[in-house]
Structures are given as C-alpha cells and as structure tokens.
C-alpha cells in the first residue's frame, strides 16, 4: 500500500492529514519525549513546576493554564492552548494532528480530544497506515465530563458540550450541545456578554 510522496517525512504526512506510518523513528522519538515530560507533569509535588513542563511539551500554552494530573498525549508538540485553560483529571489529547484550544476553555474529567483515526478499509488498516485530522476549540468553551471530541471537529466560541457526548461533527458558537452523536439542544442568549 502506497502512503504518498516519498519526499515527505511520516510526520509531514501525518500533519497533512495523509496516510502515514506511526512506527517511524522520528515519530517514535517524539512520543518518547512526550511520555518523559508527561511523567513529570503527573508526578508528585517536588518536581519542576507544571507550567514549565507544559511550556516545553506543548507548541504553545497561555498564562493561567493548568491541567490536573493524570494527563496523557501522543506528542504534545502539536497542541496549542490559550490562556486560562483548565483540564480536570484524566484528560487525553491524541495530537497526531494539531489540537488548537482557545482562551478560557474548561474540560471536565476524562475528556478525550482525539485527532487520530484509522482507515475504514481493513486491508489498509492491516498495512499499518493511519491518518489524523485537526481539532479546533474556540474561546470560552466548556466540555463536560467523559466527552469525546473526534478527529476533524471544530467547536465554536462560548459553546457548552454536555457530559458523555461524542462530538462527531462541527458544533457552532453559542449553543448547548449533547448526546451520542452530539447535537445542538439549544442556542445560548449572548446579548449580555461582556
């Protein structure tokens, strides 16, 4: 099975949303680096301050952001977080494609942001090829406990995603959405927002 232009690295293919092989040496080294830094985040007090480690792990992280341990990610280098971000316990971010999170976003316990996906065709899956699609979360979003945000999803500003939701497609700004699959339940009144 051909996985594209041989001049591209597997990481370049991965970030472009093309089929790629995760057993590539560069990607394995990046995952190893991320696991080392994630262990530091999840360790008991007395280690480097979390903010310092998150700044080394992520592509970008704004001031006032905090993640309750334990936390897990694939690479970290493809995650960009705005200011005043908060993730409760057991957050998982599979960042095979970029994950971009705005300002003032809150994630409940056990929220999963998953950019990784696999081909539907069984023969292609067996060949070891994978793909990924980016996730974008706007400003002032709240995602409830045990929600899963699937590959390629964008969530608009000021939106609330209910607990246990499986977000399989884009959700607009200024709504409450919930369910499996997640769907808009109602629009939010934004007339008095400052």
């Amino acid at each position: 099975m051909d996985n594209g232009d041989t001049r591209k690295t597997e990481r370049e293919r991965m970030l472009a949303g093309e089929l790629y092989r995760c057993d590539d040496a560069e990607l394995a080294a990046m995952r190893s680096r991320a696991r080392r830094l994630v262990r530091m985040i999840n360790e008991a007090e007395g280690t480097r301050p979390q903010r310092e480690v998150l700044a080394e792990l992520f592509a970008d992280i704004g001031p006032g952001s905090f993640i309750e341990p334990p936390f897990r990610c694939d690479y970290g280098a493809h995650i960009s977080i705005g200011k005043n971000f908060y993730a409760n316990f057991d957050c998982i971010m599979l960042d095979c494609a970029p994950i971009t999170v705005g300002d003032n976003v809150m994630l409940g316990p056990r929220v999963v942001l998953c950019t990784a996906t696999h081909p539907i065709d069984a023969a292609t899956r067996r060949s070891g090829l994978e793909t990924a699609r980016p996730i974008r979360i706007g400003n002032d979003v709240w995602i409830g406990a045990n929600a899963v945000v699937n590959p390629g999803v964008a969530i608009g500003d000021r939106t609330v995603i209910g607990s246990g939701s499986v977000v399989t497609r884009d959700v607009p700004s200024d709504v409450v959405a919930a369910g499996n699959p997640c769907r808009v339940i109602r629009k939010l009144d934004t007339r008095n927002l400052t």
Side-chain angles (χ1 to χ4, degrees), residues 24-51:
D24 173 71
E26 177 189 16
L27 294 177
M30 289 180 69
R31 286 191 304 272
S32 178
R33 173 192 172 273
R35 280 168 181 69
R36 179 181 54 81
L37 293 169
V38 164
R39 270 193 307 276
M40 293 173 74
I41 291 167
N42 293 334
E43 283 178 355
E45 293 188 30
T47 61
R48 287 171 54 194
Q50 186 191 74
R51 172 91 182 121

Side-chain angles (χ1 to χ4, degrees), residues 126-183:
R126 271 193 314 270
S127 76
L129 292 171
E130 302 178 8
T131 189
R133 296 186 358 230
I135 291 173
R136 189 196 67 74
I137 298 172
N139 297 318
D140 300 300
V141 171
W142 172 26
I143 301 177
N146 293 304
V148 176
V149 179
N150 280 355
V153 167
I155 298 174
D157 295 338
R158 297 170 300 280
T159 285
V160 175
I161 303 295
S163 295
S165 295
V166 178
V167 188
T168 59
R169 60 181 57 144
D170 292 355
V171 180
S173 296
D174 302 313
V175 299
V176 174
N180 182 5
C182 187
R183 63 180 176 74

